[in-house]
Amino acid sequence: PPLFECNARCACPAKCHLRLVQHGIPASMRLEVFRCADGRGFGLRTSVPIGRGRFVCEYAGEVIRWEEARRRWSGEYRTIAANYVLVLREHVGVGASGRIYRTIIDPTRRGNVGRFANHSCAPNLHLTAVRVDSLLPRACLFAARDIGAGEELCFDYSGLNGAPPQVADANPRPGPPTKKMRFEGVTGEHHQSTAEAKGLEPTVPCRCGAERCRGYLPFDPALAAADCSGALSTTPS
């Protein structure tokens, strides 16, 4: 569920325990950007232990409209190998009356260390939408378990937080069966090139090394059709 922090309308002090994300990365955090030895590009790790439930950092960046995201993907981002665009999806209501609200965050030009967190099918972080003095959510990363010093920090780009994917299609199309695996709350991997993302099959191998690795990086064919094929689209927990 979404979280709402104390804000300007509250009479509580600045040190209120419900004022957390608004103060930025906690002073006790020691986050390091490093180059992965397995070809995954850059990664993010901690040099100190992190307890379960602790706020780690925000996935910060420019908040842009869908039209602007498409413009950037069809132009300047088309030849860039690294993609950091995140599409945060929030589901409101159920059934035919339900709606999906999308917040698009692009940290390519302006962002923080959160953009270097890689994908894992067995993540140690989970992403949550947090609101602070605004209806616009912030994409915030929290520790999903106790994390040891030196561990790489990863979250599940699919929003499944390590749960098994849904193989069955909720809206099956007529025709022969397919072996393609479909995900609920699927994502695109932000270290793949735009050219690789043009195909509608998830063909980029996942290198997370998890025991129950899904084999391929999460991928949303709907984003490919909209020329936002590499965008990281996730449903927060």
Side-chain angles (χ1 to χ4, degrees), residues 68-78 198 227-228:
E68 175 62 14
R70 295 187 64 180
R71 186 194 69 79
R72 292 184 183 187
W73 268 107
S74 62
E76 57 195 283
Y77 291 177
R78 184 173 292 276
K198 284 302 178 182
D227 269 339
C228 291

Side-chain angles (χ1 to χ4, degrees), residues 59 81-84 115-118 157 188-192 230 232:
Y59 194 96
N83 163 36
Y84 302 104
R115 67 177 180 174
F116 295 107
N118 281 312
Y157 292 174
E189 206 281 330
H190 68 241
H191 293 304
Q192 65 178 302
L232 193 167

Side-chain angles (χ1 to χ4, degrees), residues 1-5 21 88-91 101 103 105 126-132 135-142 234-237:
L3 299 179
F4 294 84
E5 287 200 349
V21 169
L88 184 71
R89 300 187 299 181
E90 296 180 278
H91 298 262
Y101 292 93
T103 303
I105 302 171
H126 68 82
L127 186 142
T128 299
V130 179
R131 285 175 168 79
V132 182
L135 291 177
L136 280 175
R138 298 187 184 188
C140 299
L141 295 168
F142 292 81
T234 186
T235 301
S237 59

Side-chain angles (χ1 to χ4, degrees), residues 125-209:
L125 301 178
H126 68 82
L127 186 142
T128 299
V130 179
R131 285 175 168 79
V132 182
D133 277 317
S134 174
L135 291 177
L136 280 175
R138 298 187 184 188
C140 299
L141 295 168
F142 292 81
R145 59 169 174 79
D146 290 337
I147 303 172
E151 278 195 61
E152 182 179 358
L153 301 173
C154 303
F155 69 104
D156 188 342
Y157 292 174
S158 72
L160 294 172
N161 290 319
Q166 300 295 322
V167 178
D169 190 354
N171 299 292
R173 300 178 181 178
T178 175
K179 293 183 179 180
K180 176 181 177 181
M181 184 174 291
R182 294 183 177 273
F183 300 93
E184 177 63 27
V186 291
T187 74
E189 206 281 330
H190 68 241
H191 293 304
Q192 65 178 302
S193 70
T194 305
E196 290 177 316
K198 284 302 178 182
L200 295 183
E201 295 292 328
T203 56
V204 181
C206 178
R207 301 177 181 176
C208 74

